[in-house]
Amino acid sequence: MTSDAAPARPDATDEVVDLCRDLLRIDTTNTGDNDTSAGERRAAEYVAEKLAEVGVDAEIHESAPGRANVVARIPGTEPGRDALLVHGHLDVVPADPDEWSVHPFSGEIRDGYLWGRGAIDMKDFDAMVLAVVRGWQRTGVRPRRDVVLAFTADEEAGSDYGAHFLTQRHRDLFDGCTEAIGEVGGFSYSVDEQRRLYLIETAEKGIDWLRLHAKGRPGHGSMVHDDNAVTALAEAVARIGRHRFPVVMTDTVRAFLAEVSDVLGIEIDPDDPETAIAKLGPIANIIGATVRNTANPTRLAAGYKDNVIPGRATATIDCRSLPGQSEELERQLRELVGPDIAIEYVQRQPALETTFDGDLVVRMSEALRAEDPGAHPVPYMLSGGTDAKAFSQLGIRCFGFAPLRLPADLNFSALFHGIDERVPLDGLQFGVRVLDRFLRTC
């Protein structure tokens, strides 16, 4: 029987901590290079084993040696309905143990938090989903619609070995899926002790990773040299790094700021939204990046000897474009770097945007309010990108909804790809309760 409001069983909320801890202890570092990445195979086998223990058949699909994905389908009680995709990635970005207070793959519990690389990006959500499904299987609960689970590889390097591989080579696994939930949404921002905004992702910026290539005349480092590739590249990189692109207000950002204006009681100037955004504290970094295109230099490479002027120099730029702005961003970049610098795209995936309406949004909001009466769900745009870019190619409407109630003083945005990444234990348990309610009723 399906229950529309019954809370998750205590064993599910208790188990999520152990599941997340186990996943954090599996090194799935993704460097962007198959030769140096740890690979997701071990984590995929762990997920498949935990599903098999409770009678869920899961398939492992390997896109390259060690690069593994897990997919399973939970049948619903209303088979005529469209299916829901629930997706989370298993890979993590690198972490230097010398920079951390704990070892990044220790899964240590300290001060009410579970610490480790991937604690919020995004093995916490993987563990929540496993805990909910395992609880269902033990107690005979079934969702109303089919729920397809996808635990993917390679999200941190563009998803070629993960979500894109699955959608291109195994798209039949997602038959019937019309909507999806994934990472970086449903987390709280405290307005005061009684009220919390819960940011549900309805849009995300495009990925426009590129390399700049400069050419010059090789020569001896002691000579006067006016055709230096390193100099030309450095000047172009500096121009990009210091440039502020113009403000462009999208529908999602307008909707978010309207909600913030109402809840916080502040006026927002549409010509100067950043003044109001600056008042949002820790989430200002995420929101501030969604009112304009961005381009940040991240890597430089040139030369092979201290006294040799190289003939080539290369820089990597992490660019993120607003919906509909990718071509305009390219035009702006070409103007900034000049005619003598070549631009090569490493990844180019479009921005996404949907509306904050429909039954799925209603069910998300109801589940949040049932567990937190002070919840005020709002739409927002993610400054980064997710596997939704791949799944949207199948016509799936994607949202970010990995619910977490966070302490008011936690700088949540700084933990993404940062040091001392950690998730509150009670936040994990809150997420299980919300997901259980949501997935049963949606």
Side-chain angles (χ1 to χ4, degrees), residues 54-67:
V54 292
V56 176
D57 292 328
E59 299 177 358
I60 294 179
H61 298 274
E62 197 170 63
S63 52
R67 312 308 301 272

Side-chain angles (χ1 to χ4, degrees), residues 190-306:
S190 295
V191 177
D192 51 41
E193 292 184 1
Q194 285 75 42
R195 297 178 298 165
R196 279 156 295 282
L197 299 179
Y198 281 85
L199 282 65
I200 296 174
E201 185 208 309
T202 58
E204 59 183 49
K205 295 179 79 174
I207 296 175
D208 301 80
W209 294 342
L210 54 86
R211 290 198 181 100
L212 304 182
H213 299 280
K215 293 182 180 180
R217 188 178 72 253
H220 198 290
S222 68
M223 306 288 185
V224 175
H225 203 94
D226 58 1
D227 186 17
N228 190 315
V230 174
T231 302
L233 180 74
E235 290 171 344
V237 169
R239 287 194 294 272
I240 289 176
R242 294 194 180 100
H243 185 73
R244 286 180 68 80
F245 295 90
V247 168
V248 177
M249 294 288 283
T250 60
D251 291 343
T252 297
V253 172
R254 286 184 187 279
F256 172 81
L257 292 177
E259 295 281 0
V260 167
S261 174
D262 181 55
V263 172
L264 299 184
I266 58 175
E267 290 190 15
I268 296 177
D269 182 352
D271 296 323
D272 180 27
E274 289 166 306
T275 297
I277 290 171
K279 299 176 182 179
L280 298 179
I283 64 168
N285 282 340
I286 293 179
I287 304 302
T290 64
V291 299
R292 62 177 79 240
N293 297 323
T294 57
N296 286 305
T298 56
R299 302 179 73 179
L300 295 169
Y304 51 87
K305 196 172 187 297
D306 291 351

Side-chain angles (χ1 to χ4, degrees), residues 78-109:
E78 302 173 17
R81 297 189 64 208
D82 294 333
L84 175 73
L85 171 62
V86 179
H87 61 93
H89 63 85
L90 296 171
D91 62 321
V92 299
V93 296
D96 182 352
D98 292 338
E99 296 177 335
W100 284 55
S101 302
V102 304
H103 193 283
F105 298 107
S106 64
E108 182 171 330
I109 294 175

Side-chain angles (χ1 to χ4, degrees), residues 155-167:
E155 190 275 345
E156 297 292 2
S159 308
D160 288 343
Y161 294 97
H164 285 298
F165 165 78
L166 289 175
T167 57

Side-chain angles (χ1 to χ4, degrees), residues 3 120 134 152 174 201 237 247 367 436:
S3 171
I120 53 98
R134 282 166 62 84
T152 62
F174 309 103
E201 185 208 309
V237 169
V247 168
D436 180 67

Side-chain angles (χ1 to χ4, degrees), residues 341-402:
I341 304 293
I343 294 178
E344 172 199 5
Y345 278 89
V346 180
Q347 285 279 349
R348 197 171 194 181
Q349 300 186 42
L352 304 177
E353 188 168 31
T354 189
T355 51
F356 190 59
D357 56 17
D359 185 67
L360 202 72
V361 170
V362 171
R363 299 299 183 181
M364 292 178 196
S365 302
E366 289 175 346
L368 285 167
R369 293 191 186 104
E371 294 298 331
D372 180 2
H376 187 90
V378 298
Y380 93 108
M381 180 184 294
L382 176 64
S383 59
T386 74
D387 279 338
K389 295 191 184 306
F391 294 122
S392 68
Q393 298 301 305
L394 301 182
I396 298 174
R397 186 185 184 204
C398 297
F399 295 87
F401 187 65

Side-chain angles (χ1 to χ4, degrees), residues 3-16 127-139 141 367 370-371 428-441:
S3 171
D4 285 352
R9 286 172 58 86
D11 59 342
T13 53
D14 292 341
E15 187 180 39
V16 68
M128 290 180 210
V129 173
L130 281 176
V132 169
V133 170
R134 282 166 62 84
W136 285 357
Q137 292 294 109
R138 284 191 288 256
T139 56
V141 171
E371 294 298 331
L428 277 174
Q429 294 169 332
F430 171 85
V432 168
R433 294 192 299 271
V434 172
L435 273 181
D436 180 67
R437 288 180 182 273
F438 166 70
L439 292 173
R440 288 175 189 239
T441 61

